[in-house]
Amino acid sequence: TPSFPPNEPPSDAYRLMHGSAALSCDLSRPRLLVSFGWDWLVAHPSHVEAQRAFALLRKRGGERAHIIQVEPRFSVTASKADSWLPIRPGTQGLLALGAAREIISAGRHDASFLRERSLGFAEFAKALEPFTIPRVSKAAGLPERDVRLLCVKLMSMSPALALAGRGPLFDQLAVHALNAVLGGLGKEGLFSSWREPAGPEEAPEGPIDTLLVDRVNPLFTA
């Protein structure tokens, strides 16, 4: 299994599922934010953006957002979350697929988006049949009641966002598939695309007069 820096998004899943890694999500918008193994308050590429999103999730008007951290260790994000699910290492993807199965079985998935904008949904739903709550709970080392409660929250608190870092490909794909099931990739979803950086052949010739930098620190991350 390749090792990636902890601040990278699940770009492998983005490329395989969307044909491009040029995708980003708005952390400040969901009513429910569930992170599967990504310590995003520490590992986000922009600490300023992470703290801004966290403040908005906590202080916006009306009902404040609910944050769930799913990972083996009690990380910084787990300590700040409303709930921490101490999952067995390497089972985040199993839990995500178990949740997707439960949501589809209850008919609470984004059927119109999956019908119009995806390929192979019927095959995907059929492949989820083995990922029952009892089996997933046992594999993940979590009580069944905790897994069922997570599924209920995912179905009842919309919009919901599932986060993952660039870890094992199985986990990346499983968590992002959960976003598709929840409707996070549709027209009013939490994800948006952006133009990937220009390659050397597209770079302008000569000195640049004005450079606009938006929410990134290129000198720090280079």
Side-chain angles (χ1 to χ4, degrees), residues 69-110:
Q69 186 70 8
V70 181
E71 66 172 317
R73 71 188 186 93
F74 191 62
S75 63
V76 170
T77 305
S79 71
K80 302 293 185 181
D82 297 286
S83 304
W84 170 49
L85 297 182
I87 198 170
R88 185 170 290 144
T91 60
Q92 289 95 325
L94 296 177
L95 180 60
L97 292 182
R101 180 190 185 279
E102 192 72 6
I103 293 166
I104 294 171
S105 298
R108 301 295 296 273
H109 56 292
D110 187 349

Side-chain angles (χ1 to χ4, degrees), residues 47-167:
H47 294 297
V48 173
E49 178 65 17
Q51 294 299 323
R52 183 193 72 87
F54 183 75
L56 290 174
L57 289 170
R58 290 307 197 207
K59 297 180 180 179
R60 65 188 181 189
E63 181 186 12
R64 83 171 196 168
H66 192 77
I67 299 173
I68 300 176
Q69 186 70 8
V70 181
E71 66 172 317
R73 71 188 186 93
F74 191 62
S75 63
V76 170
T77 305
S79 71
K80 302 293 185 181
D82 297 286
S83 304
W84 170 49
L85 297 182
I87 198 170
R88 185 170 290 144
T91 60
Q92 289 95 325
L94 296 177
L95 180 60
L97 292 182
R101 180 190 185 279
E102 192 72 6
I103 293 166
I104 294 171
S105 298
R108 301 295 296 273
H109 56 292
D110 187 349
S112 60
F113 169 77
L114 294 167
R115 181 177 60 253
E116 299 168 6
R117 300 290 302 277
S118 70
L119 296 174
F121 172 68
E123 293 82 357
F124 172 70
K126 184 175 178 60
L128 292 180
E129 291 178 1
F131 295 88
T132 62
I133 286 182
R135 296 183 68 180
V136 168
S137 299
K138 183 177 180 180
L142 294 172
E144 285 189 29
R145 65 178 181 276
D146 289 351
V147 178
R148 293 187 188 278
L149 181 58
L150 172 64
C151 295
V152 168
K153 289 178 178 178
L154 285 167
M155 288 187 279
S156 61
M157 301 180 72
S158 179
L161 173 64
L163 286 179
R166 195 182 180 193

Side-chain angles (χ1 to χ4, degrees), residues 204 207-214 216-219:
I208 297 175
D209 178 70
T210 304
L211 175 65
L212 177 63
V213 180
D214 180 25
V216 67
N217 188 338
L219 293 179

Side-chain angles (χ1 to χ4, degrees), residues 151-212:
C151 295
V152 168
K153 289 178 178 178
L154 285 167
M155 288 187 279
S156 61
M157 301 180 72
S158 179
L161 173 64
L163 286 179
R166 195 182 180 193
L169 181 59
F170 177 83
D171 290 351
Q172 292 185 51
L173 292 170
V175 173
H176 200 52
L178 178 57
N179 281 313
V181 169
L182 291 168
L185 308 181
K187 183 179 180 181
E188 302 299 328
L190 301 168
F191 285 82
S192 59
S193 59
W194 47 277
R195 191 173 184 272
E196 294 192 77
E201 68 281 356
E202 299 179 71
E205 296 182 2
I208 297 175
D209 178 70
T210 304
L211 175 65
L212 177 63

